[in-house]
Amino acid sequence: TVPEQAVGTRIKFNDCVYQYVKATAAITAYQLCKISNTFTAAPGTTTLLPNTEPAKVGAAQVALASGDYGWLAVGPGLMTVLCAASCAQDVVLYTTATDGVVDDSATTRINGLKLIATITTAAASPCVAECELATLLAAN
């Protein structure tokens, strides 16, 4: 619960860019999270990440307890993300009502995030971020 870096610090590690944040809720490994302007993070849902306002997002590659500091993969690069069942590769991914889980059914679009391979069951799956991850407004 004591920061080892300044929140907001960014590094490149293992083919991806990471950002240092403080968890404001428990975060499970591979959950997609909203990153606030003050670099706090919580598991993302369609409610927390509405398509009426853009937001920074990142994927936790390890679990963080509420109040912990840690790194989120923010892209561009390779990362693992929790995906709902029956997601196709190389299609746009969106937020869901489930904490930190993405799907290929339209809700709030996550710009640049795609699955590397199609999955049939819900799983933590390898993804590629083609750019820095963010949600997009409905009109985009």
Side-chain angles (χ1 to χ4, degrees):
T1 58
V2 177
E4 296 177 6
Q5 306 284 327
V7 291
T9 297
R10 297 166 64 91
I11 62 166
K12 184 166 183 171
F13 180 74
N14 285 347
D15 297 324
C16 191
V17 175
Y18 288 79
Q19 190 155 45
Y20 198 65
V21 299
K22 182 177 184 179
T24 58
I27 299 171
T28 302
Y30 311 121
Q31 281 185 314
L32 185 82
C33 299
K34 178 179 182 177
I35 301 172
S36 76
N37 291 336
T38 58
F39 307 108
T40 60
T45 62
T46 302
T47 302
L48 186 62
L49 294 164
N51 62 11
T52 55
E53 61 184 56
K56 296 181 204 177
V57 294
Q61 301 301 284
V62 297
L64 297 172
S66 182
D68 280 355
Y69 292 87
W71 299 94
L72 297 184
V74 295
L78 301 173
M79 63 188 69
T80 301
V81 181
L82 291 178
C83 298
S86 303
C87 282
Q89 76 182 75
D90 293 331
V91 298
V92 174
L93 294 174
Y94 300 87
T95 61
T96 68
T98 305
D99 284 352
V101 176
V102 300
D103 196 3
D104 57 4
S105 298
T107 51
T108 303
R109 181 179 174 176
I110 304 157
N111 189 43
L113 184 65
K114 293 184 179 181
L115 273 167
I116 292 173
T118 297
I119 61 170
T120 56
T121 59
S125 300
C127 293
V128 63
E130 298 171 332
C131 56
E132 186 170 337
L133 296 178
T135 59
L136 293 179
L137 298 174
N140 293 321

